[in-house]
Amino acid sequence: MAREYQIHCKSVAASGIDYRKELNDEQYAAVSSPEGRALVIAGAGSGKTRTLTYRVAWLLDQGVEARHILLLTFTNKAAREMIGRVRELVTQDTSDLWAGTFHSIGSRILRRHAEEIGFTRSLTILDRDDQKSMIQSLIGKRDSKQDKKRFPKADVLASIFSLVVNTGQALEDIIGERYEYFEEWFEEIETIRVAYIAKKQQTNSMDFDDLLVKTVELLRTRADLLALYRKKFRHILVDEFQDTNLVQCELIELLEGESNSLMVVGDDAQSIYSWRGANMKNILAFPHQQRPCRTYAIETNYRSVPEILDLSNEAIRANTERFDKNLRAERTGGLMKPAMVVVEDPTMQASFVGQRIVELQEEGIALEEIAILYRAHFQSLEVQMELTLRGIPFAITSGLRFFEQAHIKDVSAFLRFVTNRRDEVAFKRMVELLPGVGATTSDKMWNSWWKTGWAEKDRPPEKFSSFFSQIKVPKKSEADWKQVGYILDEMVREEGFAKPYDMIYSVLEGMYDDYLKVTFDNYDARRSDIEKMMEFSSGFDNIELFLEQMSLLSNTDVDPNAPQEEEEQAKVTLSSIHQSKGLEWKAVFLIWLAEGQFPNGRILESDDNAMLEEERRLFYVAITRAKDQLYLLYPMINPKSYSGEVMQQPSRFLNDFPASMVEEWKVGNSWDDEDEPF
């Protein structure tokens, strides 16, 4: 008979943390939750990260070994921050604790067991550029006749393939719902998708989606490995659970099994990423699944004054798909109610923001404590101009400055070239939009253009198209090259140049709209940017003056040798609401609160209530970024691109709370109408 021998657990010194003192009652209840399933609904500004950090410390203090803890996050930064805080709190060694993003944890598992699914441990993880290159090589092998329309580019196909994986939808459904202009290419796209999957296997490569999909596949097909990891990860913690997609949720469920402890932390009211595959139903359904679940609500907000917090509670209450909670402010009352600022038009909106920022500075609020938020990047154009003219430094987290964006510079190249036929950079950027034209061909085309003699003349030719027909281009580019000539012809009139608005319209409708569809996965947003560019240009009759103003808003002339201190100076933040999640400022300006602008017009047209509720959650996220002051701006008039000036309706979200919760500001000019300057 075998002798029994027991391994004693190592004695672990308690950290000495006074959890009761360090945490409020709500946080303590979640942190000290017994083993099992737990859902923690952590409202905005309620100390979500603190709760997760102390939960890890609590487990370690209860004798749980670090190697039995798995912490899943959405960013490596969040994982590093939490583990760093844990190390400051406890004396135990945390080096065996697994913490990281879903993708990094998947990669770590796959490196150990790659052979089990037909790969080797030396597998290559493809970044986005690698992924595009592989797909592009498959596009190049298409057995297709000359295309009447451009075929989607590799970057767009990569996004489509990713959505298939992360949403669980069929390719046909993804194209039908989001990329209907590619329906004629469905069979070819499916062929490339299948070939891409095979190519990755053949080359021992995985893309980022595979790091999740293949991990799930491995655990599904190998019961012994699944049992191994279930035994290893006795305590699983998940951050930002409202942002999980189908595959991530399945991975969690596999590792959880029937007995492991699982705590998920999130806020359904901040679920704003369905467009990239996130599924809010994961968090809503969590308490109602088979295993018993304890639910904890953390509703004490440490960020915002009561006036802002009360408004946020009312704003989100209009949604039907949500957990019922009511955030309470820890702070005392502020100096002002949220401001409802009604302005005449986008220009006045920008003027108000600029002037008010100067006043806030004088009141002692630093520039880095001020943010301007918007639904879409193009809505920041007038504000960028206003801040530039006032000399107020700003940083943009939602992307490049407006006129630095690739698609804006593409369209600008046509305008620059038609007004300055010596502009080699503009010419080459313009022609390299053509299929089959790269740097070498564009250089030859430039030399051919120069030889025509028109580059050095003071006036443009009456017909660009007649001279362009003399320039040799690849066969696949011939039709598009003729179209470029016709577009440039439209830009020149007998009396001089066409107006900037008409020039941009000619480029967009003449060829660039088709280019956008096949080149960028966010076609709608980029087209909106160009329409905003048109709207901005409508204030100019002179093309040279318009191009000058574009240069003013560009960063391309920044001195790369400028002292480092200049880069570190305090700046106002301009950000899309999506990019602002997780951040906070003392003063927040939320602009363009008009129907069709926010909520987004395409969502209103779709009549999709689920998407409308996500727009409202986006509004809620924006409100809860503000600590002390909140300005809600609504321009009454919008000089629309295609229909002239139109009266706008205020965003429906402004009707979701009582008018008494805000203070209305009516903004006017400092002069009377009768004294208005010429």
Side-chain angles (χ1 to χ4, degrees):
M1 184 175 178
R3 179 184 298 187
E4 293 187 4
Y5 185 85
Q6 189 74 29
I7 299 289
H8 298 291
C9 293
K10 298 175 184 177
S11 59
V12 181
S15 65
I17 299 171
D18 186 342
Y19 290 93
R20 279 287 189 186
K21 180 180 179 181
E22 296 295 327
L23 304 168
N24 65 34
D25 290 343
E26 297 164 342
Q27 293 169 341
Y28 178 78
V31 165
S32 60
S33 172
E35 292 189 5
R37 222 168 199 250
L39 168 63
V40 180
I41 303 296
S46 65
K48 171 182 64 68
T49 300
R50 184 178 185 82
T51 301
L52 269 174
T53 300
Y54 275 82
R55 175 62 176 177
V56 175
W58 173 274
L59 292 174
L60 294 170
D61 271 349
Q62 301 308 303
V64 176
E65 295 183 59
R67 65 192 177 95
H68 289 313
I69 300 174
L70 171 64
L71 173 59
L72 290 164
T73 65
F74 273 83
T75 65
N76 287 313
K77 179 182 177 183
R80 288 193 301 268
E81 180 183 353
M82 284 188 233
I83 293 306
R85 291 193 193 182
V86 170
R87 287 173 179 157
E88 293 173 0
L89 290 172
V90 303
T91 57
Q92 296 94 320
D93 181 10
T94 61
S95 57
D96 287 338
L97 189 155
W98 281 37
T101 64
F102 284 87
H103 294 91
S104 66
I105 297 300
S107 175
R108 194 168 173 181
I109 292 173
L110 289 170
R111 289 285 185 192
R112 296 181 169 196
H113 311 287
E115 292 89 347
E116 309 295 337
I117 50 174
F119 292 81
T120 74
R121 294 191 182 191
S122 60
L123 65 90
T124 297
I125 298 175
L126 305 172
D127 62 19
R128 186 70 169 192
D129 285 339
D130 298 329
Q131 190 181 13
K132 285 162 55 179
S133 295
M134 185 176 288
I135 294 173
Q136 186 58 49
S137 70
L138 297 171
I139 293 174
K141 296 176 181 178
R142 290 168 57 229
D143 183 18
S144 178
K145 297 179 180 179
Q146 181 74 15
D147 300 333
K148 293 181 180 179
K149 293 185 179 179
R150 294 173 185 256
F151 190 74
K153 293 195 175 180
D155 198 25
V156 179
L157 292 185
S159 295
I160 293 173
F161 298 163
S162 181
L163 282 170
V164 171
V165 171
N166 289 310
T167 65
Q169 288 184 277
L171 174 65
E172 188 173 13
D173 293 334
I174 293 291
I175 291 177
E177 292 176 12
R178 306 194 190 206
Y179 300 89
E180 66 280 356
Y181 38 84
F182 292 150
E183 287 181 340
E184 64 183 288
W185 298 117
F186 165 68
E187 291 184 1
E188 285 202 55
I189 293 173
E190 174 64 8
T191 299
I192 289 174
R193 188 181 74 88
V194 172
Y196 173 57
I197 294 170
K199 188 75 171 178
K200 287 184 291 182
Q201 187 90 34
Q202 177 190 342
T203 58
N204 196 39
S205 305
M206 293 185 186
D207 59 31
F208 268 54
D209 292 325
D210 291 326
L211 297 180
L212 299 180
V213 173
K214 296 298 184 183
T215 303
V216 168
E217 178 186 326
L218 175 72
L219 297 178
R220 267 211 223 109
T221 55
R222 287 293 303 270
D224 55 334
L225 293 179
L226 177 58
L228 174 71
Y229 282 102
R230 282 179 174 173
K231 186 175 180 180
K232 177 175 178 56
F233 300 131
R234 300 285 180 80
H235 293 270
I236 304 169
L237 297 93
V238 184
D239 187 22
E240 303 285 11
F241 188 65
Q242 78 280 350
D243 294 333
T244 53
N245 62 32
L246 183 74
V247 184
Q248 290 161 334
C249 198
E250 186 172 0
L251 177 60
I252 295 166
E253 290 173 355
L254 282 168
L255 293 174
E256 177 194 10
E258 297 179 357
S259 58
N260 283 339
S261 289
L262 171 62
M263 176 177 283
V264 301
V265 181
D267 183 6
D268 58 294
Q270 297 187 68
S271 179
I272 57 175
Y273 296 114
S274 68
W275 49 274
R276 65 184 188 196
N279 189 345
M280 192 180 72
K281 292 180 181 178
N282 291 344
I283 193 170
L284 293 178
F286 189 84
H288 310 298
Q289 294 171 353
Q290 292 181 348
R291 285 186 65 191
C293 175
R294 294 179 176 86
T295 300
Y296 303 91
I298 305 178
E299 299 176 312
T300 304
N301 175 285
Y302 294 90
R303 176 186 299 156
S304 305
V305 294
E307 292 84 352
I308 293 174
L309 203 60
D310 292 344
L311 180 64
S312 71
N313 285 328
E314 286 297 319
I316 199 62
R317 197 162 282 133
N319 273 6
T320 57
E321 293 290 318
R322 65 184 182 89
F323 289 116
D324 190 23
K325 61 180 176 296
N326 193 60
L327 293 182
R328 301 178 303 275
E330 176 69 11
R331 298 179 58 190
T332 57
L335 298 176
M336 58 177 280
K337 291 181 179 181
M340 177 75 75
V341 185
V342 182
V343 293
E344 182 177 339
D345 55 27
T347 300
M348 184 176 284
Q349 178 175 248
S351 297
F352 173 84
V353 171
Q355 181 172 308
R356 189 69 189 124
I357 286 174
V358 172
E359 293 168 353
L360 291 175
Q361 266 192 294
E362 294 171 351
E363 294 169 12
I365 297 180
L367 289 180
E368 64 267 28
E369 288 286 357
I370 302 172
I372 302 156
L373 305 182
Y374 32 81
R375 173 63 178 83
H377 185 51
F378 70 84
Q379 294 169 340
S380 67
L381 176 56
E382 292 89 1
V383 171
Q384 287 187 46
M385 175 63 77
E386 180 70 20
L387 298 184
T388 300
L389 293 174
R390 287 180 178 267
I392 299 173
F394 60 93
I396 303 176
T397 64
S398 56
L400 298 169
R401 294 190 178 219
F402 187 84
F403 286 113
E404 291 175 354
Q405 298 175 102
H407 49 298
I408 298 298
K409 293 182 75 172
D410 287 346
V411 174
S412 301
F414 287 79
L415 279 61
R416 286 171 49 187
F417 174 70
V418 80
T419 53
N420 176 16
R421 280 74 59 198
R422 301 184 190 185
D423 192 333
E424 182 178 353
V425 172
F427 178 88
K428 289 182 175 179
R429 186 177 190 106
M430 179 179 69
V431 301
E432 285 176 19
L433 298 175
L434 306 177
V437 176
T440 301
T441 303
S442 68
D443 192 57
K444 292 178 181 178
M445 292 173 69
W446 170 254
N447 291 333
S448 297
W449 165 249
W450 190 266
K451 289 177 183 178
T452 66
W454 279 100
E456 297 180 281
K457 293 188 178 182
D458 292 334
R459 58 184 177 84
E462 292 182 5
K463 293 287 184 183
F464 280 92
S465 54
S466 61
F467 292 95
F468 278 12
S469 63
Q470 304 169 24
I471 298 175
K472 186 177 180 180
V473 297
K475 188 170 183 62
K476 64 170 64 174
S477 305
E478 288 177 352
D480 289 308
W481 180 232
K482 287 181 181 178
Q483 185 63 21
V484 170
Y486 298 146
I487 290 169
L488 295 176
D489 288 346
E490 289 181 358
M491 294 183 176
V492 181
R493 308 283 169 82
E494 289 184 8
E495 66 276 12
F497 293 116
K499 291 184 179 181
Y501 177 97
D502 295 328
M503 288 187 174
I504 299 169
Y505 181 88
S506 293
V507 178
L508 178 61
E509 299 301 336
M511 67 170 287
Y512 198 71
D513 185 68
D514 287 336
Y515 179 84
L516 283 176
K517 287 175 180 174
V518 301
T519 306
F520 301 109
D521 60 352
N522 57 344
Y523 159 74
D524 289 329
R526 291 182 187 254
R527 178 169 175 111
S528 294
D529 282 345
I530 296 172
E531 289 174 353
K532 188 66 177 179
M533 180 187 184
M534 291 171 62
E535 178 187 320
F536 179 69
S537 74
S538 64
F540 298 84
D541 290 330
N542 183 285
I543 182 60
E544 286 90 353
L545 182 58
F546 173 66
L547 292 172
E548 179 185 311
Q549 291 298 306
M550 286 175 56
S551 298
L552 183 63
L553 277 175
S554 174
N555 251 350
T556 53
D557 58 352
V558 172
D559 182 3
N561 301 313
Q564 190 66 28
E565 304 86 69
E566 289 187 18
E567 294 297 316
E568 297 174 357
Q569 71 181 113
K571 298 177 181 178
V572 172
T573 298
L574 273 67
S575 176
S576 71
I577 304 169
H578 283 102
Q579 292 286 339
S580 75
K581 187 170 175 287
L583 304 176
E584 58 184 41
W585 297 270
K586 287 185 176 179
V588 169
F589 296 85
L590 180 53
I591 63 176
W592 277 106
L593 285 169
E595 286 286 274
Q597 299 287 339
F598 190 15
N600 180 278
R602 288 182 298 277
I603 290 173
L604 294 179
E605 291 170 5
S606 71
D607 199 28
D608 186 331
N609 190 62
M611 294 305 299
L612 181 60
E613 291 209 348
E614 181 162 330
E615 288 285 287
R616 186 175 281 109
R617 293 194 294 274
L618 198 59
F619 180 59
Y620 171 84
V621 167
I623 294 172
T624 54
R625 300 310 94 198
K627 295 194 285 188
D628 299 336
Q629 297 186 35
L630 175 65
Y631 298 88
L632 307 171
L633 288 103
Y634 154 53
M636 295 183 292
I637 298 174
N638 181 23
K640 268 288 208 192
S641 297
Y642 297 110
S643 52
E645 286 192 349
V646 295
M647 295 295 296
Q648 296 192 135
Q649 295 297 316
S651 168
R652 64 189 61 198
F653 301 150
L654 299 179
N655 296 320
D656 288 340
F657 48 82
S660 60
M661 299 189 82
V662 296
E663 179 185 11
E664 185 173 353
W665 292 31
K666 291 186 177 179
V667 180
N669 294 316
S670 58
W671 53 77
D672 296 325
D673 289 344
E674 60 187 29
D675 298 322
E676 187 172 340
F678 294 101

